Amino acid sequence: MTRAFVFPGQGSQAVGMGRELAEAFEVARHTFEEVDDALNQRLSRLMVEGPEADLTLTENAQPALMAVSVAVMRVLASEGGVDLSKHATFVAGHSLGEYSALCAAGAFSLGDTARLLKLRGQAMQKAVPVGKGAMAALLGADLDQAQAIAADAAQGEVCSIANDNSVGQAVISGSADAIDRAIALAAERGLKRSVRLPVSAPFHCSLMQPAADAMADALANVTISAPVVPVVANVTASAVSDPNAIRRLLVEQVTGMVRWRECVLFMKEQGVERLVEVGSGKVLAGLTKRIDKELAAVSVGTPADVESFLKSL
């Protein structure tokens, strides 16, 4: 079966994440310790014990989710000989998950990935004062409908599509007042449901330009190797392996739309039959079923999941 390995983004974090892995597998414990050392922070304790409010902070959630994803990949390699160059056609990740995918595929070192994501989270938070920006999910809207609502709600402010997640699920991002207008417009136009998201900043819109500038500076000073398999980039929904292109696309990703629905469809068009979600939660597997019912998806995040997946190889 032709596989792609995919890596979750923010929102998949939960207190207790990684605990069972660390208890069951030494390589997972070492992964978490390596991230702690790179950040000079006991992130692994925060992941296991909380508090949830601290784990949810963008600067903590992003490296934490990456740490769990990479730990799972290392467990799969040590316990079952999983090698992306042999067992995958592509890797991809949702927003911060693109960094997890690149680390798993050998483009970044683990320490560099952790530091980049810590900085990314901090820069995204600083880009817009708390309360000035917002995000909302438009449920039941196709991309064209969501774009029309965002455009009509903008009224001179920023309001644009942040995530095209699946058929009938788009996320908009921008100025808080514009997002409120978009939610009202969505109701007028008969959308099933629209809801503000509990996020602290308006990700993936032009208000994030200061964060994009910060990431451009940081990425310029980090070694990027060619990944062992191509990564399907969020902003182009196409495969990339060239390190300079990866660097450029990661900068564009901060303000650009996450084209996740198109990423999944691209992988299917290229012959992928199964997506393997690696890390905390099951969000991407759920989205896959809504994007294309013919595409199989499985989530691997616990010791039981690891055992089940390795039996399926």
Side-chain angles (χ1 to χ4, degrees):
M1 181 173 280
T2 309
R3 299 177 200 85
F5 285 69
V6 297
F7 298 82
Q10 206 160 335
S12 289
Q13 71 276 358
V15 173
M17 60 195 280
R19 179 175 55 214
E20 290 183 22
L21 283 172
E23 290 171 351
F25 304 109
E26 186 177 10
V27 68
R29 276 197 307 281
H30 288 166
T31 301
F32 298 144
E33 289 165 4
E34 195 176 335
V35 170
D36 286 352
D37 290 345
L39 298 178
N40 195 25
Q41 175 189 2
R42 288 299 303 276
L43 184 65
S44 58
R45 177 181 287 177
L46 178 61
M47 289 157 55
V48 171
E49 299 176 4
E52 184 178 8
D54 289 349
L55 179 60
T56 302
L57 288 173
T58 302
E59 66 176 83
N60 292 325
Q62 295 198 18
L65 284 161
M66 180 277 299
V68 175
S69 289
V70 173
V72 173
M73 285 305 310
R74 290 183 172 183
V75 168
L76 291 174
S78 65
E79 296 295 308
V82 172
D83 178 343
L84 287 176
S85 67
K86 296 182 183 137
H87 292 104
T89 307
F90 300 105
V91 292
H94 192 285
S95 192
L96 82 90
E98 194 163 310
Y99 285 80
S100 308
L102 287 162
C103 182
F108 287 129
S109 71
L110 178 59
D112 280 345
T113 312
R115 287 184 288 269
L116 285 167
L117 285 173
K118 184 79 172 177
L119 173 68
R120 185 177 182 267
Q122 291 170 335
M124 286 176 145
Q125 191 59 66
K126 284 181 197 166
V128 180
V130 173
K132 296 293 185 184
M135 299 179 75
L138 303 183
L139 304 177
D142 63 29
L143 186 59
D144 288 342
Q145 285 176 301
Q147 285 175 325
I149 288 168
D152 292 344
Q155 296 181 19
E157 295 186 295
V158 174
C159 188
S160 58
I161 307 296
N163 304 338
D164 176 17
N165 281 335
S166 69
V167 178
Q169 187 188 120
V171 174
I172 55 173
S173 183
S175 304
D177 289 345
I179 296 299
D180 287 341
R181 289 193 293 270
I183 290 171
L185 273 175
E188 289 174 17
R189 295 179 187 183
L191 256 62
K192 185 164 64 176
R193 189 160 68 96
S194 303
V195 60
R196 260 209 195 210
L197 298 180
V199 294
S200 53
F203 306 134
H204 298 293
C205 74
S206 61
L207 294 175
M208 288 287 110
Q209 189 58 48
D213 295 341
M215 292 312 296
D217 291 342
L219 286 159
N221 295 307
V222 170
T223 299
I224 304 180
S225 304
V228 296
V229 290
V231 61
V232 180
N234 283 188
V235 295
T236 60
S238 60
V240 60
S241 293
D242 175 68
N244 289 325
I246 288 168
R247 184 178 280 109
R248 174 176 54 80
L249 291 169
L250 287 175
V251 174
E252 292 179 12
Q253 188 220 59
V254 179
T255 57
M257 179 171 71
V258 175
R259 296 167 60 183
W260 188 251
R261 178 182 59 84
E262 292 176 86
C263 287
V264 170
L265 292 175
F266 169 82
M267 289 186 277
K268 189 191 178 195
E269 286 163 7
Q270 299 300 309
V272 170
E273 300 165 283
R274 189 185 205 197
L275 295 189
V276 183
E277 179 179 12
V278 182
S280 179
K282 302 178 186 295
V283 170
L284 298 184
L287 290 178
T288 301
K289 288 166 189 162
R290 290 205 284 275
I291 293 167
D292 192 312
K293 288 183 171 57
E294 294 178 3
L295 195 55
V298 60
S299 299
V300 184
T302 67
D305 294 339
V306 167
E307 183 180 359
S308 175
F309 176 70
L310 292 178
K311 283 179 180 173
S312 76
L313 285 179

